[in-house]
Amino acid sequence: MIVFDLCCDAGDHRFEAWFASSDSFADQQARGLIACPVCGDSRVKKAVMAPRIGTKSNQRAVAAPAAAPAPDATPSAEMARAVLAAIAAKQAEMLPQSRWVGRDFADAARAMHEGRAPEDLIHGQTSPEEAQALHDDGIAAMPLLVPIAPPDAIN
Protein backbone atom coordinates (compact mmCIF):
# COMPACT_ATOMS: atom_id res chain seq x y z
CA MET A 1 0.00 0.00 0.00
CA ILE A 2 1.11 3.55 -0.72
CA VAL A 3 -0.26 6.85 0.56
CA PHE A 4 -0.25 9.99 -1.57
CA ASP A 5 -0.98 13.58 -0.67
CA LEU A 6 -3.39 14.81 -3.34
CA CYS A 7 -4.96 18.15 -4.24
CA CYS A 8 -7.80 19.19 -6.53
CA ASP A 9 -7.62 21.78 -9.31
CA ALA A 10 -10.87 23.53 -8.36
CA GLY A 11 -10.13 24.61 -4.82
CA ASP A 12 -6.57 23.41 -4.30
CA HIS A 13 -7.91 21.35 -1.38
CA ARG A 14 -5.27 18.97 0.00
CA PHE A 15 -6.14 15.45 1.15
CA GLU A 16 -4.57 12.01 1.59
CA ALA A 17 -5.49 8.74 -0.15
CA TRP A 18 -4.19 5.16 -0.07
CA PHE A 19 -3.59 3.07 -3.19
CA ALA A 20 -2.40 -0.46 -3.91
CA SER A 21 0.38 0.94 -6.12
CA SER A 22 1.42 3.96 -8.17
CA ASP A 23 -0.14 2.25 -11.21
CA SER A 24 -3.43 1.91 -9.31
CA PHE A 25 -3.40 5.65 -8.60
CA ALA A 26 -2.62 6.46 -12.26
CA ASP A 27 -5.42 4.17 -13.47
CA GLN A 28 -8.00 5.62 -11.08
CA GLN A 29 -6.88 9.17 -11.87
CA ALA A 30 -7.15 8.58 -15.63
CA ARG A 31 -10.67 7.18 -15.20
CA GLY A 32 -11.75 10.11 -12.99
CA LEU A 33 -12.49 7.83 -10.03
CA ILE A 34 -10.67 9.99 -7.50
CA ALA A 35 -12.58 13.02 -6.24
CA CYS A 36 -11.82 15.77 -3.75
CA PRO A 37 -13.66 15.01 -0.48
CA VAL A 38 -14.23 18.75 0.05
CA CYS A 39 -15.58 19.96 -3.30
CA GLY A 40 -16.04 16.77 -5.36
CA ASP A 41 -13.67 17.88 -8.15
CA SER A 42 -12.27 14.86 -10.01
CA ARG A 43 -9.33 16.80 -11.49
CA VAL A 44 -6.95 15.52 -8.83
CA LYS A 45 -3.16 15.46 -8.90
CA LYS A 46 -0.37 14.44 -6.56
CA ALA A 47 0.68 17.18 -4.16
CA VAL A 48 4.25 17.78 -3.05
CA MET A 49 4.95 15.58 -0.06
CA ALA A 50 7.87 14.55 2.09
CA PRO A 51 8.80 10.87 1.86
CA ARG A 52 8.56 8.77 5.00
CA ILE A 53 11.73 6.70 5.25
CA GLY A 54 12.06 4.12 8.01
CA THR A 55 15.24 3.62 9.99
CA LYS A 56 17.54 0.69 9.34
CA SER A 57 16.74 -2.39 11.36
CA ASN A 58 20.14 -2.24 13.07
CA GLN A 59 19.66 1.32 14.33
CA ARG A 60 17.86 2.42 17.46
CA ALA A 61 15.32 5.17 17.26
CA VAL A 62 16.36 8.21 19.25
CA ALA A 63 13.52 9.54 21.36
CA ALA A 64 12.83 13.24 21.01
CA PRO A 65 12.95 15.19 24.26
CA ALA A 66 9.54 15.55 25.83
CA ALA A 67 8.18 19.07 25.75
CA ALA A 68 5.32 20.34 27.82
CA PRO A 69 2.36 21.46 25.68
CA ALA A 70 1.52 25.12 25.62
CA PRO A 71 -1.34 25.98 27.99
CA ASP A 72 -3.73 26.89 25.16
CA ALA A 73 -2.69 23.94 22.93
CA THR A 74 -5.19 21.54 24.52
CA PRO A 75 -8.40 21.55 22.49
CA SER A 76 -11.47 22.44 24.47
CA ALA A 77 -14.77 20.60 24.28
CA GLU A 78 -16.24 23.71 22.67
CA MET A 79 -13.60 23.68 19.94
CA ALA A 80 -14.17 19.95 19.33
CA ARG A 81 -17.93 20.53 19.01
CA ALA A 82 -17.29 23.36 16.53
CA VAL A 83 -15.00 21.18 14.39
CA LEU A 84 -17.50 18.30 14.39
CA ALA A 85 -20.32 20.70 13.47
CA ALA A 86 -18.27 22.04 10.56
CA ILE A 87 -17.54 18.51 9.33
CA ALA A 88 -21.22 17.56 9.62
CA ALA A 89 -22.28 20.70 7.74
CA LYS A 90 -19.83 20.05 4.88
CA GLN A 91 -20.91 16.41 4.66
CA ALA A 92 -24.59 17.44 4.59
CA GLU A 93 -23.75 19.85 1.76
CA MET A 94 -21.96 17.13 -0.24
CA LEU A 95 -24.42 14.21 0.19
CA PRO A 96 -27.13 15.58 -2.15
CA GLN A 97 -24.52 15.48 -4.94
CA SER A 98 -24.27 11.69 -4.60
CA ARG A 99 -26.76 8.85 -5.03
CA TRP A 100 -27.85 6.54 -2.17
CA VAL A 101 -27.28 2.88 -3.12
CA GLY A 102 -28.03 1.34 0.27
CA ARG A 103 -26.50 -2.04 1.04
CA ASP A 104 -25.46 -2.41 -2.62
CA PHE A 105 -22.57 0.03 -2.09
CA ALA A 106 -19.74 -2.49 -2.58
CA ASP A 107 -21.36 -4.00 -5.69
CA ALA A 108 -22.09 -0.55 -7.18
CA ALA A 109 -18.55 0.70 -6.50
CA ARG A 110 -17.03 -2.46 -8.00
CA ALA A 111 -19.29 -2.23 -11.09
CA MET A 112 -18.16 1.37 -11.71
CA HIS A 113 -14.52 0.44 -11.14
CA GLU A 114 -14.75 -2.43 -13.63
CA GLY A 115 -16.60 -0.30 -16.22
CA ARG A 116 -19.86 -2.27 -15.99
CA ALA A 117 -21.76 0.80 -14.75
CA PRO A 118 -21.38 4.52 -15.49
CA GLU A 119 -19.25 6.45 -13.03
CA ASP A 120 -21.26 8.29 -10.41
CA LEU A 121 -20.85 9.67 -6.91
CA ILE A 122 -22.51 7.20 -4.56
CA HIS A 123 -22.95 6.59 -0.85
CA GLY A 124 -24.43 3.65 1.02
CA GLN A 125 -23.67 0.92 3.51
CA THR A 126 -21.21 -1.97 3.48
CA SER A 127 -19.59 -4.33 5.94
CA PRO A 128 -16.04 -3.80 7.17
CA GLU A 129 -14.99 -6.92 5.23
CA GLU A 130 -16.51 -5.62 1.98
CA ALA A 131 -14.88 -2.21 2.54
CA GLN A 132 -11.50 -3.92 3.06
CA ALA A 133 -12.01 -5.96 -0.13
CA LEU A 134 -12.71 -2.74 -2.09
CA HIS A 135 -9.59 -1.19 -0.59
CA ASP A 136 -7.48 -4.29 -1.40
CA ASP A 137 -8.66 -4.13 -5.03
CA GLY A 138 -7.67 -0.47 -5.36
CA ILE A 139 -11.25 0.80 -5.46
CA ALA A 140 -11.57 4.30 -3.98
CA ALA A 141 -14.05 4.36 -1.10
CA MET A 142 -14.04 6.08 2.25
CA PRO A 143 -16.34 6.11 5.26
CA LEU A 144 -18.51 9.11 5.98
CA LEU A 145 -17.11 10.99 8.94
CA VAL A 146 -20.52 11.67 10.45
CA PRO A 147 -23.04 8.78 10.48
CA ILE A 148 -26.25 9.33 8.52
CA ALA A 149 -29.65 7.69 8.54
CA PRO A 150 -30.66 5.87 5.34
CA PRO A 151 -33.21 7.92 3.34
CA ASP A 152 -35.94 5.30 3.87
CA ALA A 153 -35.45 5.51 7.66
CA ILE A 154 -36.06 9.26 7.87
CA ASN A 155 -39.53 10.46 8.83
Side-chain angles (χ1 to χ4, degrees):
M1 295 305 296
I2 188 167
V3 64
F4 289 125
D5 286 343
L6 306 175
C7 65
C8 68
D9 281 346
D12 200 29
H13 301 115
R14 193 175 176 110
F15 57 99
E16 185 176 275
W18 289 81
F19 298 92
S21 65
S22 290
D23 291 338
S24 176
F25 164 77
D27 175 60
Q28 291 181 42
Q29 180 188 34
R31 294 174 41 196
L33 297 177
I34 307 167
C36 174
V38 177
C39 67
D41 182 21
S42 62
R43 293 170 297 152
V44 173
K45 60 185 182 273
K46 290 181 188 176
V48 177
M49 59 187 208
R52 222 177 283 161
I53 301 172
T55 59
K56 291 183 178 180
S57 62
N58 64 351
Q59 292 179 340
R60 285 188 300 134
V62 178
D72 56 343
T74 305
S76 67
E78 185 177 314
M79 182 187 298
R81 278 191 293 275
V83 168
L84 285 174
I87 290 171
K90 186 50 102 172
Q91 180 176 297
E93 180 184 321
M94 300 283 299
L95 280 176
Q97 299 172 27
S98 67
R99 180 173 49 92
W100 171 257
V101 293
R103 296 222 174 257
D104 294 329
F105 178 82
D107 292 335
R110 190 171 301 285
M112 287 187 291
H113 179 74
E114 294 170 353
R116 294 182 285 118
E119 293 177 15
D120 195 8
L121 294 175
I122 60 171
H123 65 281
Q125 297 172 320
T126 193
S127 70
E129 295 79 20
E130 289 172 322
Q132 184 62 49
L134 291 174
H135 177 74
D136 292 345
D137 292 340
I139 300 172
M142 62 183 265
L144 293 173
L145 297 176
V146 179
I148 62 164
D152 57 349
I154 299 172
N155 290 340

